[in-house]
């Protein structure tokens, strides 16, 4: 019995000792784990802070062009090839494709930058973990035989060192990765919000700037009309201003290539609205590529299109309009400026012919080229293009089909030689100057019909336009007994005179074809006062009205100028 009690006491003591030892071990393990947890927490938080800082610096490094990955730079060629903003731009010149210029940063390059930042973060994380694996303990060489199977030694001996390695650096690597991705995600979120808002504001600003330029030109009825191919457009092309650059920009409007300015592929900064570009750059026709006169596209353009048979006095009428119009503008404080060498030469020759009372040479039967002049008064400038053409051009439909400027002209001017009308010619033969007059040849009504019938056949709405019927050679016409009533210049009186002198069918044809018909009598030989109704320039004033131009010369000329009395002299 005593022996049993002794064994029980010994057993209890052993159990107590074992329990106490296990408790001590447990306490030790808990203490160790507490230090490990504190270590992991501190290392995790510290590494996460470092990761956050690196996450802030990585995007800056990438945007500075110092990242390890490839930062794709969008170039104008990408835009031209349709890889950035679609195949073609919107607008009348879309067939020319995108201009060779640098696109806006938002949203085009910003997307590529975001891709590069994301790639940099992913590559950096991959490199970090690969480096940690490479720096860790390597597997033990050789193998052990267990139950007749060869087992790699790394399973038995290598696992503990590796576990210790990852226990030491795992928390830091995880914290760094979490901080890095949290920082990068925050950067993407912030830049995404900023990018979306910036893009929206940018598009609104571009839309307003574009609309402002378009509406301002629309109020001025601004357009370009090519003097070579007769094409009409509201959007000419503009050549880059850099001396060595030959790039032409065909859509000079606020949009994907810039707001108030754009950067050409060569690096030159250019104005990005038609109005500003027209003041600084050389314009080009978007249809034939011909160089236009400076300012084309930013002002209203009016073509003085005259039709009529050979010898009807078209060229002389245009000469007189040019010279008399300059007098009117000078009277009103404005100017008439030839815009190229051809127009300048025409003005000099017209002045010389009128001063010397010399006859006009026969107009060559070639494709007419417009002679551009700038009519300026105050802040208003209108471009007038004089289109002189030989009478042979109105002999057939095929000939008039070459004169495409007639299709876009707001008003047509018909030079009608009243002396060549059969009833008037009979009176002319009895006059003292009958043998010194060169009359229009051919049928004048057929010359008119060749032009107008061709236009109507090509769906040109002549019934929505105006026609000015100008009785030329008024210096002789009013000297005839039958022409004395024409000196008043009243349209209704001239119409009645034509009806009374055998041109009733022509008058009916005119008024059937056109919405409005105005009749003039023009003296292109004698010098007349600018207020004289027989002065040829009134035809141009009518054309300005037909074009709804803000340059109202006739109204300004007939309003008396208010003269301000000088202040009394103080004694």
């Amino acid at each position: 019995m005593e022996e049993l009690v002794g064994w029980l006491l010994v057993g209890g003591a052993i159990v107590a000792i074992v329990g106490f030892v296990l408790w001590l071990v447990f306490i030790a393990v808990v203490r160790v784990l507490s230090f490990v947890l504190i270590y992991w927490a501190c290392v995790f938080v510290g590494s996460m802070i470092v990761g956050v800082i690196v996450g802030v610096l990585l995007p800056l490094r990438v945007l500075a062009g110092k990242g390890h990955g490839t930062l794709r730079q969008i170039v104008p060629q990408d835009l031209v090839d349709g890889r950035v903003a679609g195949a073609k731009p919107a607008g009348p010149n879309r067939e020319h494709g995108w201009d060779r210029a640098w696109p806006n940063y938002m949203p085009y390059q910003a997307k590529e930058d975001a891709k590069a930042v994301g790639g940099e973060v992913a590559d950096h994380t991959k490199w970090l973990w690969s480096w940690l694996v490479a720096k860790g303990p390597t597997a033990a060489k050789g193998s052990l035989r267990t139950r007749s199977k060869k087992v790699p030694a790394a399973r038995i001996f290598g696992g503990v060192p590796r576990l210790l390695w990852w226990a030491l650096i795992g928390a830091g690597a995880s914290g760094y990765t979490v901080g890095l991705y949290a920082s990068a995600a925050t950067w993407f979120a912030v830049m995404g919000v900023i990018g979306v808002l910036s893009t929206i504001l940018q598009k609104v600003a571009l839309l307003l700037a574009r609309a402002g330029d378009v509406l301002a030109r629309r109020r001025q009825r601004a357009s370009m009309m090519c003097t070579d191919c007769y094409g009409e457009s509201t959007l000419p092309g503009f050549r880059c201003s850099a001396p060595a650059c030959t790039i032409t920009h065909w859509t000079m409007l606020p949009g994907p290539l810039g707001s108030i300015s754009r950067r050409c592929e060569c690096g030159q900064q250019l104005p990005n609205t038609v109005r500003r570009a027209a003041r600084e750059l050389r314009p080009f026709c978007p249809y034939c590529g011909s160089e236009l006169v400076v300012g084309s596209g930013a002002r209203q353009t009016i073509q003085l299109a005259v039709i009529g048979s050979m010898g009807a006095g078209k060229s002389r009428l245009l000469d007189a309009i040019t010279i008399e119009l300059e007098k009117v503008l000078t009277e009103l404080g404005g100017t008439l400026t030839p815009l190229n060498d051809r127009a300048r030469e025409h003005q000099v020759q017209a002045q010389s012919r009128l001063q010397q009372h010399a006859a006009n040479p026969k107009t060559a039967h070639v494709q007419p080229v417009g002679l551009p002049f700038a009519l300026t008064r105050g802040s208003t400038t209108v471009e007038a293009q004089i289109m002189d053409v030989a009478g042979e051009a109105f002999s057939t439909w095929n000939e008039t089909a070459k004169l495409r400027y007639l299709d876009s002209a707001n008003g047509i001017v018909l030079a009608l030689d009243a002396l060549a009308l059969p009833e008037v010619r009979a009176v002319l033969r009895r006059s003292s100057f009958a043998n010194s007059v060169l009359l229009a040849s051919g049928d004048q009504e057929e010359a008119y019909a060749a032009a107008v019938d061709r236009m109507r056949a090509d769906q040109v709405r002549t019934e929505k336009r105006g026609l000015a019927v100008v009785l030329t050679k008024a210096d002789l016409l009013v000297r005839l007994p039958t022409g004395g009533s024409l000196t008043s210049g009243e349209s209704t009186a001239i119409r009645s005179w034509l009806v009374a002198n055998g041109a009733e069918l022509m008058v009916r044809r005119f008024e059937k074809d056109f919405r409005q018909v105005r009749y003039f009598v023009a003296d292109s030989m004698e010098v007349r006062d600018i207020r004289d109704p027989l002065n040829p320039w009134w035809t141009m004033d009518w054309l300005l009205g037909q074009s709804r131009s803000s340059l109202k010369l006739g109204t300004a000329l007939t309003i008396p100028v208010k003269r301000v009395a000088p202040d009394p002299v103080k004694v």
Side-chain angles (χ1 to χ4, degrees):
M1 188 65 180
E2 292 179 357
E3 185 178 354
L4 178 61
V5 172
W7 281 107
L8 290 175
L9 290 174
V10 171
I14 293 173
V15 170
I17 292 171
V18 171
F20 181 73
V21 171
L22 291 176
W23 172 253
L24 291 177
V25 171
F26 175 76
I27 295 299
V29 170
V30 170
R31 181 176 290 272
V32 170
L33 287 177
S34 65
F35 284 114
V36 170
L37 291 176
I38 293 173
Y39 165 78
W40 281 352
C42 293
V43 170
F44 185 89
V45 172
S47 300
M48 187 170 65
I49 294 174
V50 175
V52 169
I53 295 173
V54 173
V56 172
L57 296 178
L58 276 183
L60 300 179
R61 180 182 177 85
V62 172
L63 298 181
K66 298 180 180 180
H68 294 91
T70 301
L71 174 60
R72 179 173 176 263
Q73 175 68 54
I74 295 177
V75 297
Q77 187 62 45
D78 295 326
L79 201 70
V80 173
D81 293 341
R83 293 194 294 265
V84 177
K88 295 179 180 179
N93 293 349
R94 66 191 310 268
E95 294 306 319
H96 287 281
W98 288 102
D99 296 338
R100 303 191 73 88
W102 296 87
N104 295 329
Y105 179 78
M106 288 290 183
Y108 307 107
Q109 186 60 47
K111 293 180 179 178
E112 297 300 325
D113 291 352
K115 291 179 183 178
V117 171
E120 185 78 5
V121 172
D123 290 344
H124 182 75
T125 306
K126 182 179 179 181
W127 168 85
L128 172 65
W129 287 92
S130 299
W131 182 84
L132 291 175
V133 171
K135 292 297 181 180
T138 57
K141 295 182 179 180
S143 59
L144 297 176
R145 182 174 298 276
T146 304
R147 292 185 181 179
S148 301
K149 293 183 180 179
K150 289 186 177 181
V151 179
R155 284 192 182 181
I156 301 176
F157 299 106
V160 174
R162 286 187 177 183
L163 181 62
L164 180 60
W165 168 253
W166 287 111
L168 291 175
I169 58 91
S174 300
Y176 181 86
T177 303
V178 170
L180 177 66
Y181 273 89
S183 179
T186 303
W187 184 87
F188 276 108
V190 172
M191 296 307 296
V193 172
I194 293 175
V196 170
L197 294 177
S198 298
T199 301
I200 293 174
L201 292 176
Q202 176 182 265
K203 287 187 177 297
V204 172
L206 292 175
L207 180 62
L208 293 177
R210 189 184 188 109
D213 183 63
V214 171
L215 292 177
R217 288 184 289 117
R218 187 171 295 174
R219 284 197 303 270
Q220 298 173 346
R221 295 179 175 82
S223 66
M224 57 126 282
M225 293 184 178
C226 182
T227 55
D228 291 334
C229 71
Y230 315 135
E232 181 180 14
S233 176
T234 58
L235 194 60
F238 293 95
R239 182 68 52 84
C240 176
S241 59
C245 185
T246 60
I247 294 176
T248 300
H249 298 260
W250 296 107
T251 307
M252 194 64 82
L253 288 172
L257 298 182
S259 53
I260 60 175
S261 65
R262 70 169 57 181
R263 186 160 62 98
C264 179
E265 184 179 37
C266 70
Q268 182 73 14
Q269 289 292 127
L270 302 175
N272 203 34
T273 62
V274 173
R275 289 187 298 165
R276 292 180 56 222
R279 293 195 296 264
E280 304 176 26
L281 306 177
R282 289 184 295 161
F284 286 80
C285 175
Y287 304 112
C288 68
S290 299
E291 184 173 355
L292 306 173
V293 295
V294 176
S296 292
R299 61 189 170 222
Q300 185 180 23
T301 303
I302 299 174
Q303 290 173 323
L304 183 52
V306 181
I307 63 176
S309 62
M310 291 182 290
K314 299 186 297 298
S315 298
R316 190 68 175 195
L317 175 64
L318 293 175
D319 281 359
I321 288 176
T322 303
I323 301 307
E324 295 300 323
L325 188 56
E326 184 178 17
K327 295 179 183 178
V328 172
L329 286 165
T330 302
E331 173 81 10
L332 297 174
T335 57
L336 177 74
T337 306
L339 296 176
N340 61 18
D341 292 338
R342 293 195 302 262
R344 194 171 296 107
E345 182 181 0
H346 168 82
Q347 186 181 33
V348 171
Q349 293 178 353
Q351 183 72 50
S352 175
R353 284 191 290 263
L354 290 177
Q355 288 177 348
Q356 300 175 16
H357 286 78
N360 283 63
K362 173 71 176 65
T363 303
H365 182 35
V366 295
Q367 192 78 357
V369 176
L371 304 174
F373 291 84
L375 284 58
T376 303
R377 181 172 181 257
S379 60
T380 303
T381 298
V382 171
E383 181 181 334
Q385 295 181 0
I386 294 177
M387 313 296 295
D388 192 10
V389 60
E392 292 91 338
F394 304 102
S395 58
T396 64
W397 276 30
N398 291 335
E399 289 293 332
T400 60
K402 303 174 183 178
L403 310 179
R404 288 296 171 182
Y405 62 86
L406 295 174
D407 300 351
S408 58
N410 292 313
I412 304 295
V413 177
L414 170 65
L416 184 66
D417 185 0
L419 297 176
L421 296 176
E423 295 189 14
V424 181
R425 183 182 296 182
V427 178
L428 177 65
R429 291 196 189 100
R430 297 192 293 270
S431 67
S432 59
F433 49 84
N435 295 328
S436 61
V437 181
L438 178 64
L439 299 180
S441 60
D443 191 318
Q444 297 191 91
E445 187 173 1
E446 288 184 1
Y448 164 85
V452 176
D453 288 347
R454 194 278 307 164
M455 292 169 64
R456 292 173 67 88
D458 288 344
Q459 307 302 315
V460 178
R461 304 293 299 275
T462 59
E463 69 275 9
K464 293 185 177 295
R465 304 185 185 187
L467 173 69
V469 179
V470 183
L471 306 188
T472 58
K473 307 175 185 179
D475 57 313
L476 301 177
L477 181 60
V478 296
R479 292 167 57 186
L480 296 176
T482 186
S485 61
L486 296 174
T487 55
S488 66
E490 290 289 338
S491 179
T492 54
I494 299 170
R495 179 187 183 280
S496 299
W497 184 89
L498 284 171
V499 171
N501 284 274
E504 182 177 1
L505 293 179
M506 291 179 66
V507 169
R508 289 182 179 177
R509 173 73 192 274
F510 299 155
E511 295 173 353
K512 177 183 177 182
D513 291 335
F514 288 88
R515 172 181 56 84
Q516 180 192 36
V517 181
R518 176 72 184 274
Y519 299 89
F520 295 88
V521 178
D523 182 357
S524 303
M525 295 297 294
E526 303 296 332
V527 177
R528 290 181 177 269
D529 184 81
I530 56 177
R531 292 173 177 79
D532 190 316
L534 270 60
N535 194 305
W537 90 268
W538 288 103
T539 303
M540 186 65 199
D541 184 63
W542 168 85
L543 186 56
L544 290 171
Q546 286 293 306
S547 304
R548 295 184 293 174
S549 173
S550 56
L551 194 65
K552 303 183 184 303
L553 301 180
T555 303
L557 195 64
T558 54
I559 296 176
V561 178
K562 294 183 180 180
R563 301 188 180 277
V564 180
D567 294 334
V569 179
K570 296 182 180 179
V571 180

